[in-house]
């Protein structure tokens, strides 16, 4: 089993067609990826089959920070082994739904934490099917000393959880956003037409909207709809987006998706 060569495609209306060449991003200070790797489903291959293509997708991003959603502890351990050079943050262990990986040769993790997306100390109350959480980390660039604040989250798929959780998440992020360059990413189970997206957009910026370079990797013969996006990278003030990409890789014969989500990667620099 192998993955096809990497390629980039440009978006034309709702159909993806090959581009002559991928856009060249400008100087990049930080690359982040969000990926819901799928805990498992009756209609998906087992993790032992999906692990390799998922790890290959993540390795290809060369991201400074990888925000994961849905890995079980054993799956997270496998990805740690597959991706040497990354430190792991799982502050709600063994609840690893919002674990993060960060490139430890470049970044120091100054402090980290997590919380439930809920109106009380119990992880329920917003109409969610499962407990939902966010995790956060303050990272310091080993060379420059610059710090960034990164939040990973996973909103429930049941309504009205998303609309209830979005203001709470903003309450968490707002104080830090006043102090540090801020990135909030994850699976929001909210499209750009949903109320939760509008709530977040009141104080954060969608990196997709800000990017002049949208790249769709391994997209041949596939359609992709920007208005159906639910995996987002949100930004506080002071960031410039150099490139936004989504990886549509498949594996095997017949071709299959390794997850029910696609990895989204954003290249950024600070103004």
């Amino acid at each position: 089993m192998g993955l096809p060569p990497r390629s980039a495609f440009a978006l034309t209306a709702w159909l993806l067609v090959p581009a002559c060449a991928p856009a060249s991003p400008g100087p990049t200070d930080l690359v982040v990826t969000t990926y819901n790797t799928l805990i498992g489903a009756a209609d998906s291959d087992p993790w032992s089959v999906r692990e390799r293509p998922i790890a290959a997708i993540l390795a290809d991003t060369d991201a400074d920070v990888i925000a994961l959603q849905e890995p079980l502890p054993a799956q997270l351990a496998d990805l740690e082994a597959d991706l040497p050079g990354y430190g792991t943050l799982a502050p709600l262990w063994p609840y690893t739904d919002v674990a993060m990986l960060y490139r430890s040769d470049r970044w120091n993790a100054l402090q980290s934490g997590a919380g439930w997306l809920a109106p009380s100390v119990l992880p329920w109350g917003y109409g969610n099917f499962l407990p939902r959480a966010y995790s956060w980390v303050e990272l310091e660039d080993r060379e420059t000393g610059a710090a960034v604040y990164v939040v990973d989250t996973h909103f429930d798929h049941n309504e009205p959880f998303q609309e209830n959780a979005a203001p709470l998440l903003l309450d968490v992020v707002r104080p830090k956003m006043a102090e540090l360059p801020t990135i909030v990413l994850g699976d929001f189970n909210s499209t750009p037409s949903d109320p939760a997206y509008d709530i977040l957009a009141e104080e954060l910026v969608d990196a997709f909207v800000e990017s002049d370079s949208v790249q769709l990797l391994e997209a041949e013969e596939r359609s992709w709809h920007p208005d159906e996006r639910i995996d987002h990278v949100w930004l506080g003030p002071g960031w410039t987006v150099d490139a936004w990409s989504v990886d549509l890789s498949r594996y095997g014969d017949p071709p299959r998706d390794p997850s029910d989500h696609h990895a989204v990667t954003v290249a950024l620099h600070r103004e």
Side-chain angles (χ1 to χ4, degrees):
M1 176 177 61
L3 294 175
R6 313 299 293 172
S7 56
F9 292 76
L11 179 65
T12 302
W14 301 121
L15 179 67
L16 305 182
V17 296
C20 295
S24 298
T28 300
D29 286 345
L30 184 65
V31 177
V32 297
T33 293
T34 181
Y35 196 12
N36 183 325
T37 53
L38 182 60
I39 191 172
D43 58 351
S44 70
D45 285 334
W47 174 252
S48 59
V49 176
R50 297 187 296 113
E51 176 192 351
R52 183 183 173 198
I54 284 175
I57 288 170
L58 291 173
D60 281 348
T61 69
D62 198 29
D64 292 274
V65 180
I66 298 171
L68 299 170
Q69 300 88 44
E70 291 198 16
L72 293 171
Q75 294 171 335
L76 180 60
D78 287 338
L79 292 175
E80 288 179 279
D82 294 332
L83 301 167
Y86 283 91
T88 304
L89 297 163
L92 286 174
W93 183 273
Y95 187 81
T96 51
D97 182 48
V98 286
M100 285 190 275
L101 306 176
Y102 68 98
R103 193 170 290 285
S104 55
D105 61 345
R106 180 182 177 190
W107 301 96
N108 286 318
L110 298 178
Q111 53 182 331
S112 61
W116 298 112
L117 291 169
S120 67
V121 294
L122 299 177
W124 307 100
Y126 279 159
N128 43 315
F129 177 69
L130 293 170
R132 297 301 183 184
Y134 62 89
S135 61
W136 60 269
V137 62
E138 289 184 24
L139 295 173
E140 179 186 59
D141 190 310
R142 292 178 180 272
E143 182 176 345
T144 68
V148 297
Y149 175 65
V150 184
V151 179
D152 177 17
T153 194
H154 186 186
F155 282 14
D156 201 80
H157 59 280
N158 282 350
E159 296 179 352
F161 177 89
Q162 304 95 325
E163 189 174 353
N164 289 329
L168 186 152
L169 185 63
L170 286 175
D171 288 343
V172 170
V173 169
R174 194 178 296 114
K176 284 294 184 182
M177 191 163 56
E179 302 172 5
L180 293 172
T182 296
I183 303 167
V184 183
L185 69 172
D187 172 5
F188 292 84
N189 273 308
S190 305
T191 70
S193 63
D194 288 329
Y197 180 97
D198 291 335
I199 292 169
L200 294 169
E202 290 176 2
E203 300 187 43
L204 299 168
V205 175
D206 181 355
F208 176 84
V209 174
E210 291 296 300
S211 181
D212 292 327
S213 172
V214 173
Q215 301 177 9
L216 301 119
L217 307 177
E218 305 298 343
E220 197 165 37
E221 303 300 326
R222 303 196 70 175
S223 61
W224 179 83
H225 301 270
D227 58 355
E228 296 178 357
R229 294 177 296 117
I230 62 173
D231 302 287
H232 303 293
V233 177
W234 293 97
L235 307 172
W239 292 105
T240 295
V241 180
D242 296 316
W244 186 103
S245 68
V246 59
D247 194 314
L248 304 177
S249 295
R250 288 175 169 173
Y251 71 97
D253 185 15
R256 304 181 297 283
D257 290 313
S259 173
D260 57 349
H261 291 248
H262 303 297
V264 171
T265 299
V266 177
L268 308 161
H269 72 267
R270 290 188 292 274
E271 296 177 347

